[in-house]
């Protein structure tokens, strides 16, 4: 089984839908300490942060079988016990899809990575190489604030890795016709 290696997305979007909006979402597209941020001051949920359009380090060949998907997010919160994942789903054809892999733990107060999925985990979906190669494939995250106080969470980078098996290739059988 092969994989694409950890790859950063090329598009990050904050999808409107609540009072609490991600600022500077494109900062998750680089591996540095410039962060997207999310300020919340009540027990509420955020809008979605969507990251998509991954230019895989190793190309996924046509006809490959997709075996698993991993997502890695480096994030932290200004206060202990405040922000945590509400929903972590794959983005398939631009729509949040599959199993919800929200970690269910409060974010740490210093930058740390959280991994979701695995080498043999399809998030409850049947994925094709065409879907994971599409520009609107990625991840969608929403956050919940567990306390009434105001705090900010920070998102430094989002990576994705696809595990796949290339389609079998072998010799071509040619028919041999013998004429009298």
């Amino acid at each position: 089984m092969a994989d694409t290696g950890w790859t950063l997305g090329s598009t990050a979007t904050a999808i409107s839908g609540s009072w609490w909006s991600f600022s500077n979402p494109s900062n998750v597209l680089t591996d540095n300490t410039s962060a997207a941020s999310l300020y919340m001051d009540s027990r509420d949920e955020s809008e979605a942060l969507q990251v998509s359009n991954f230019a895989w380090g190793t190309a996924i060949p046509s006809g490959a079988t997709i075996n698993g998907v991993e997502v890695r997010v480096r994030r932290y919160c200004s206060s202990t016990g405040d922000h945590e994942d509400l929903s972590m789903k794959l983005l398939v054809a631009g729509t949040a899809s599959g199993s919800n892999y929200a970690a269910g733990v409060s974010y740490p107060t210093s930058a740390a990575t959280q991994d979701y999925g695995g080498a043999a985990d399809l998030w409850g979906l049947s994925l094709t190489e065409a879907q994971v190669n599409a520009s609107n494939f990625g991840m969608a995250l929403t956050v919940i604030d567990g306390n009434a106080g105001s705090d900010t969470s920070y998102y430094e980078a989002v990576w994705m890795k696809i595990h796949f098996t290339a389609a079998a290739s072998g010799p071509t059988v040619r028919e041999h016709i013998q004429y009298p």
Side-chain angles (χ1 to χ4, degrees):
M1 181 167 41
D3 69 63
T4 58
W6 288 108
T7 305
L8 291 160
S10 300
T11 305
T13 308
I15 303 301
S16 297
S18 86
W19 288 95
W20 311 113
S21 175
F22 286 87
S23 297
N24 303 309
S26 62
N27 284 351
V28 302
L29 303 176
T30 56
D31 185 6
N32 60 35
T33 57
S34 294
S37 61
L38 174 64
Y39 171 82
M40 297 174 78
D41 71 1
S42 66
R43 295 176 196 260
D44 205 352
E45 64 184 69
S46 74
E47 66 183 13
L49 172 65
Q50 295 183 345
V51 180
S52 61
N53 200 17
F54 289 82
W56 306 117
T58 298
I60 301 170
S62 178
T65 299
I66 305 304
N67 304 109
V69 179
E70 292 182 83
V71 174
R72 176 174 286 169
V73 179
R74 187 170 59 227
R75 81 282 193 270
Y76 63 99
C77 187
S78 60
S79 302
T80 302
D82 285 345
H83 292 188
E84 63 183 63
D85 302 343
L86 176 63
S87 176
M88 168 58 81
K89 292 188 170 194
L90 294 182
L91 200 59
V92 180
T95 301
S97 305
S99 299
N100 180 2
Y101 280 4
V105 296
S106 296
Y107 292 176
T109 55
S110 60
T113 58
Q114 176 68 48
D115 290 346
Y116 308 85
D121 191 333
L122 291 171
W123 301 56
L125 300 167
S126 294
L127 297 169
T128 67
E129 55 83 18
Q131 288 172 312
V132 301
N133 279 328
S135 63
N136 58 0
F137 178 80
M139 58 71 70
L141 169 70
T142 59
V143 177
I144 190 164
D145 186 351
N147 292 317
S150 61
D151 34 57
T152 303
S153 52
Y154 301 91
Y155 305 82
E156 293 181 348
V158 174
W159 299 268
M160 189 174 275
K161 182 192 294 187
I162 305 295
H163 298 268
F164 63 92
T165 303
S169 63
T172 303
V173 177
R174 295 181 187 212
E175 187 175 336
H176 178 73
I177 300 174
Q178 188 172 17
Y179 294 98

